[in-house]
Amino acid sequence: MARSCAPLLSVLAMLAAGRAPAAEWDGALRGTGRLMLDTNAPRDYADRLTPAPTRDLALSLLGSAEGRGTFDRAQLVGRYEVGARKYLRYTEEDTLVQSGALEASHALGTAMGIGLEGHAKDRRGGSRSYSDLGATAFLEYAPDVRLALRVRAGARRFVYRPDPTANFGGPEVGVLGRYRFNRRHSLSVFGDWNSRRFGTAPRARPPATGGSSGLLPGRRQDGALTAGASYTYRGPLALGVTYAFQEISSNSYGETLQRHRLSANAGIRLPWRVTLLAQGSLGFTGYPDGIYLSPEIILVEEDEGQNSLSVKLARPLTESLDFEMAWGVWSTRLPRNDLTYTRQVFSTGFTWRY
């Protein structure tokens, strides 16, 4: 996924303005507690003969910390997030998720900069348990506040605990460009490519499809390509629209896929100091081999393979405490076997900021 150019941009902007920033530190803390009603806690697929899963109550706790140190020509940015979810009945779906990232950057003049970034995400419990690790080096070009371009190269390691055959590692490269037309309108383009080498042999094409049964010699190898563009508007209405195309090409039969995804988010201030936030996405996934045998592993967004819609209302109670109410729905359908997936989540809680 594309990553923001923002941390290094602040140093380059100050240097371009002739103001060398003195060493300073700042940070933020955030905590959220919610009571949730989940209509499909086990995240099961259903058909006409299968009854819908029983709904369940859950308690969700989220915490995050972010810090930044700005020096003469360098910047250090770190962030950490932790989330826990506890179900009343479906205790096997209890989860603990942690993620963190650390980025160090150094300005080369007033328009160029280099840096290193490391990130990690660890998910325990529930139906999907994995660790996702990566480290990259990047070069950034930002001649003014309107244009920013970042290219990066690094390596990634993914470990999927329920099925070790899905573990992979390999190099990755990416590019992110942003152009700000004015203070309200901006356009971004992004692209990433990751070579994924697995520890298992690739699956051969079955005889019924013109191939031979069994496993091919060598190891399974995938190439994962993601490319897209996003538009952002900041005014009385905050609006963002993103299109992304993903293609995974594999030498293992049944593992190749192509996915188109269109997503949008919006935010607006309502009367009585209420903020309305909405997000929605539509996706289409095609499997050239006609099947997809690997487990559905979602690497970044837990439900990014499905269509979704969510709405949240937030109102400040004090300068640091907000009351929130939210609703979200996720759904998809597998046309070959007529299986459907639907999940709704209703939640209410509080967010504290410092």
Side-chain angles (χ1 to χ4, degrees):
M1 299 294 290
R3 294 181 175 85
S4 172
C5 301
L8 183 55
L9 276 178
S10 60
V11 172
L12 294 175
M14 285 185 282
L15 290 175
R19 295 183 293 112
E24 60 180 37
W25 295 88
D26 63 86
L29 298 175
R30 184 184 181 96
T32 300
R34 295 191 182 105
L35 181 63
M36 304 169 51
L37 173 63
D38 193 334
T39 65
N40 187 357
R43 307 187 185 190
D44 289 336
Y45 283 79
D47 56 27
R48 297 178 181 178
L49 302 179
T50 304
T54 304
R55 61 178 60 92
D56 197 5
L57 292 173
L59 176 64
S60 172
L61 298 174
L62 304 172
S64 66
E66 181 173 347
R68 177 172 58 183
T70 303
F71 307 93
D72 184 19
R73 303 181 66 86
Q75 189 163 239
L76 182 66
V77 178
R79 53 187 177 274
Y80 171 75
E81 296 178 344
V82 59
R85 184 174 297 175
K86 175 63 179 177
Y87 282 91
L88 184 63
R89 296 183 56 191
Y90 291 95
T91 55
E92 66 276 9
E93 292 298 324
D94 295 348
T95 58
L96 175 66
V97 181
Q98 300 181 78
S99 65
L102 183 65
E103 178 180 305
S105 55
H106 182 76
L108 304 176
T110 60
M112 297 286 292
I114 58 174
L116 297 173
E117 182 200 30
H119 59 272
K121 183 176 182 180
D122 184 78
R123 187 182 196 276
R124 301 297 176 107
S127 55
R128 293 187 294 273
S129 180
Y130 63 83
S131 294
D132 191 10
L133 311 172
T136 60
F138 62 85
L139 174 67
E140 190 158 284
Y141 174 65
D144 54 47
V145 295
R146 294 178 301 171
L147 177 65
L149 177 66
R150 173 180 288 195
V151 293
R152 62 183 184 88
R156 182 180 183 185
R157 174 63 174 167
F158 180 78
V159 178
Y160 187 58
R161 297 183 187 87
D163 183 5
T165 64
N167 298 349
F168 66 81
E172 63 177 1
V173 295
V175 60
L176 170 63
R178 189 193 71 190
Y179 184 79
R180 179 174 295 173
F181 298 94
N182 51 46
R183 65 184 184 88
R184 291 193 173 184
H185 303 271
S186 63
L187 180 67
S188 300
V189 294
F190 56 88
D192 296 280
W193 181 81
N194 176 220
S195 177
R196 302 176 177 179
R197 186 171 179 83
F198 294 76
T200 58
R203 185 183 301 107
R205 181 176 291 274
T209 62
S212 59
S213 60
L215 298 176
L216 298 174
R219 292 185 178 184
R220 174 186 167 187
Q221 182 127 13
D222 294 4
L225 171 68
T226 302
S230 62
Y231 164 77
T232 302
Y233 170 77
R234 292 291 181 265
L237 170 70
L239 177 66
V241 180
T242 300
Y243 166 77
F245 169 76
Q246 182 185 33
E247 181 178 48
I248 298 179
S249 301
S250 178
N251 62 349
S252 182
Y253 179 73
E255 311 292 348
T256 297
L257 68 84
Q258 294 178 341
R259 176 177 292 161
H260 300 268
R261 183 173 177 82
L262 181 65
S263 58
N265 60 82
I268 189 172
R269 290 290 182 88
L270 301 177
W272 302 293
R273 297 194 300 161
V274 175
T275 300
L276 170 64
L277 303 172
Q279 292 182 321
S281 63
L282 292 173
F284 171 78
T285 303
Y287 306 103
D289 293 332
I291 61 171
Y292 187 55
L293 298 178
S294 287
E296 180 66 16
I297 304 170
I298 305 303
L299 304 183
V300 182
E301 296 295 337
E302 199 168 298
D303 296 288
E304 72 174 10
Q306 291 125 21
N307 302 322
S308 65
L309 175 65
S310 62
V311 178
K312 182 172 75 172
L313 294 172
R315 186 182 189 280
L317 300 179
T318 68
E319 291 185 357
S320 59
L321 185 66
D322 293 351
F323 172 73
E324 299 177 351
M325 297 180 63
W327 165 81
V329 58
W330 295 263
S331 68
T332 190
R333 179 176 178 270
L334 303 179
R336 285 184 171 268
N337 49 24
D338 203 28
L339 289 176
T340 59
Y341 172 92
T342 302
R343 175 175 175 244
Q344 295 188 65
V345 175
F346 304 85
S347 66
T348 182
F350 299 89
T351 292
W352 170 82
R353 301 179 308 277
Y354 176 75

